[in-house]
């Protein structure tokens, strides 16, 4: 794939090609730990993927072979959050989680090396995860004085079951790629040198499918886990589809033409 850079960033790389966006955390010297600026850049790039009609699947990864992401940069952890160059403490990892979860296109985590702590929660929230055989997964919160009691705990329990999720959080162990696959935390494991090739193959298979079907399925999966916020997302997609129908257009046209709408020609299907 001939990736083309989309925009210049400091902490990340954002490229696209052939219907795919590729977003890479580029801080390998700290195992791709994120600071507030990294997260703001990631939010920006994922939002651009949301808006870009040429992009149907987003691949999310980390630079190098040692890590996908090691979570919050502990060197800038202050009181009340991680402190950026503006001196303000933030937990904007949680904002990024929402952007990934509500992007109406599949996001595939491409994991080589460590996906740890807040970095592990990010891979968890991606629609699919393709892991290299050197990948290692786990939470560290209760060991380093942190926790993610939002999707990081609750969605994990939906994905791997309560017993396993509690083990992962309470013991802070690391799991290799095969163990992660066995517990349903990821989708497949491939040799490290085939990681991108295999991830692109999965992305291309998705790109051959109906975009609206995929969009509704993603929002349905979210509706199952996210209560009224999930239903709001699903409903937004239903409205989008309704606006595309003649029946939906009749209401708008009647208003603009200052006449009574005539919905009589539209069937009340069983
Ligand atoms: C990731 C892991 C297991 C890698 O171990 P290893 O042995 O391969 O590398 P090493 O030597 O530990 O790390 C290499 C360099 O990266 C830095 C290290 O300090 C080291 O720096 P130097 O000594 O070479 O200068 N590094 C790695 N992770 C870092 C991090 N997160 N922040 C800053 N520097 C980091 C191992 O490094 C590890 O366990 N890392 C820490 C993982 C962790 O606890 N992350 C935070 C969890 S809390 C969180 O992410 C979070 C949350 O709970 C809620 C909201 C938002 C975020």
């Amino acid at each position: 794939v001939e990736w083309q850079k989309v925009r210049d960033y400091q902490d990340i790389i954002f490229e696209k090609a052939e219907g795919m966006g590729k977003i890479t955390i580029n801080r390998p010297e700290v195992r791709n730990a994120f600071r507030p600026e990294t997260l703001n850049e990631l939010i920006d790039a994922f939002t651009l993927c949301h808006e870009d009609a040429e992009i149907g699947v987003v691949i999310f990864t980390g630079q190098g072979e040692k890590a996908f992401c090691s979570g919050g940069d502990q060197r800038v952890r202050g009181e009340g959050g991680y402190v950026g160059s503006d001196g303000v403490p933030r937990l904007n990892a949680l904002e990024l989680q929402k952007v990934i979860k509500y992007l109406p296109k599949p996001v595939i985590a491409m994991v080589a090396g460590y996906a740890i702590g807040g970095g592990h929660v990010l891979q968890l929230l991606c629609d699919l995860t393709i892991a290299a055989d050197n990948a290692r997964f786990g939470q560290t919160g209760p060991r380093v004085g942190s926790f993610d009691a939002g999707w990081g705990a609750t969605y994990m329990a939906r994905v791997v079951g309560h017993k396993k999720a509690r083990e992962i959080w309470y013991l802070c162990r690391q799991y290799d790629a095969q163990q992660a696959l066995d517990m349903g935390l990821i989708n497949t494991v491939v040799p490290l040198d085939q990681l991108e090739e295999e991830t692109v193959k999965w992305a291309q298979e998705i790109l051959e499918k109906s975009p609206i079907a995929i969009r509704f399925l993603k929002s349905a999966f979210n509706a199952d886990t996210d209560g009224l916020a999930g239903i709001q997302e699903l409903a937004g997609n239903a409205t989008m589809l309704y606006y595309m129908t003649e029946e939906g257009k009749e209401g708008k046209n009647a208003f603009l033409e200052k006449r009574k709408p005539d919905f009589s020609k539209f069937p009340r299907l069983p």
Side-chain angles (χ1 to χ4, degrees), residues 29-31 33 70-74 82 114 116 118 140 144 146 174:
E29 67 283 1
V30 284
R31 301 290 186 267
S70 62
D73 187 329
Q74 298 305 298
Y82 294 84
Y114 290 102
I116 294 284
T140 65
V144 300
S146 183
Q174 287 180 7

Side-chain angles (χ1 to χ4, degrees), residues 7-251:
R7 184 176 278 188
D8 278 320
Y9 293 103
Q10 202 182 340
D11 288 6
I12 70 167
I13 300 165
F14 176 27
E15 301 155 296
K16 70 176 199 175
E18 300 172 25
M20 296 172 285
K22 183 178 165 198
I23 299 174
T24 307
I25 305 177
N26 190 21
R27 307 186 78 219
E29 67 283 1
V30 284
R31 301 290 186 267
N32 296 317
F34 50 72
R35 53 180 179 166
E37 292 87 343
T38 321
L39 292 161
N40 283 338
E41 291 184 358
L42 287 168
I43 289 166
D44 189 69
F46 274 103
T47 304
L48 289 173
C49 291
H50 189 129
E51 297 291 330
D52 188 338
E54 286 180 2
I55 293 176
V57 174
V58 185
I59 296 172
F60 184 26
T61 192
Q63 185 70 297
E65 298 176 353
K66 291 190 173 155
F68 167 75
C69 177
S70 62
D73 187 329
Q74 298 305 298
R75 299 170 308 178
V76 299
R77 191 170 137 189
E79 286 188 35
Y82 294 84
V83 183
S85 53
D86 58 3
V88 177
R90 288 194 167 80
L91 284 167
N92 51 344
L94 304 177
E95 296 304 313
L96 175 63
Q97 292 178 2
K98 287 189 231 174
V99 171
I100 292 174
K101 208 152 188 283
Y102 289 102
L103 203 158
K105 304 162 187 182
V107 179
I108 305 179
M110 181 168 84
V111 177
Y114 290 102
I116 294 284
H120 183 255
V121 175
L122 292 179
Q123 85 75 24
L124 173 75
L125 290 175
C126 291
D127 294 271
L128 302 170
T129 299
I130 315 294
D133 49 13
N134 75 336
R136 291 184 74 79
F137 302 84
Q139 299 300 150
T140 65
R143 193 171 64 232
V144 300
S146 183
F147 59 90
D148 181 341
W151 281 322
T154 59
Y155 183 64
M156 186 189 289
R158 296 284 187 105
V159 171
V160 298
H162 270 270
K163 291 283 182 191
K164 209 69 200 178
R166 287 165 203 236
E167 172 191 316
I168 292 169
W169 273 104
Y170 298 169
L171 279 69
C172 298
R173 287 183 182 167
Q174 287 180 7
Y175 302 85
D176 66 24
Q178 189 56 49
Q179 288 172 308
L181 183 65
D182 292 344
M183 69 173 104
L185 195 54
I186 62 173
N187 295 86
T188 192
V189 183
V190 294
L192 179 59
D193 63 359
Q194 289 165 30
L195 181 60
E196 180 157 314
E197 187 189 331
E198 184 68 13
T199 308
V200 165
K201 193 163 156 268
W202 283 54
Q204 286 169 338
E205 274 188 54
I206 295 170
L207 287 168
E208 290 165 4
K209 308 299 185 295
S210 157
I212 287 185
I214 299 288
R215 183 186 183 108
F216 265 88
L217 288 164
K218 179 160 180 173
S219 62
F221 289 125
N222 284 337
D224 178 43
T225 56
D226 298 349
L228 293 183
I231 292 172
Q232 191 261 5
E233 171 74 10
L234 184 67
N237 287 323
T239 306
M240 180 196 76
L241 208 57
Y242 179 57
Y243 273 29
M244 294 177 183
T245 66
E246 290 309 311
E247 185 179 334
K249 288 175 196 164
E250 168 62 12

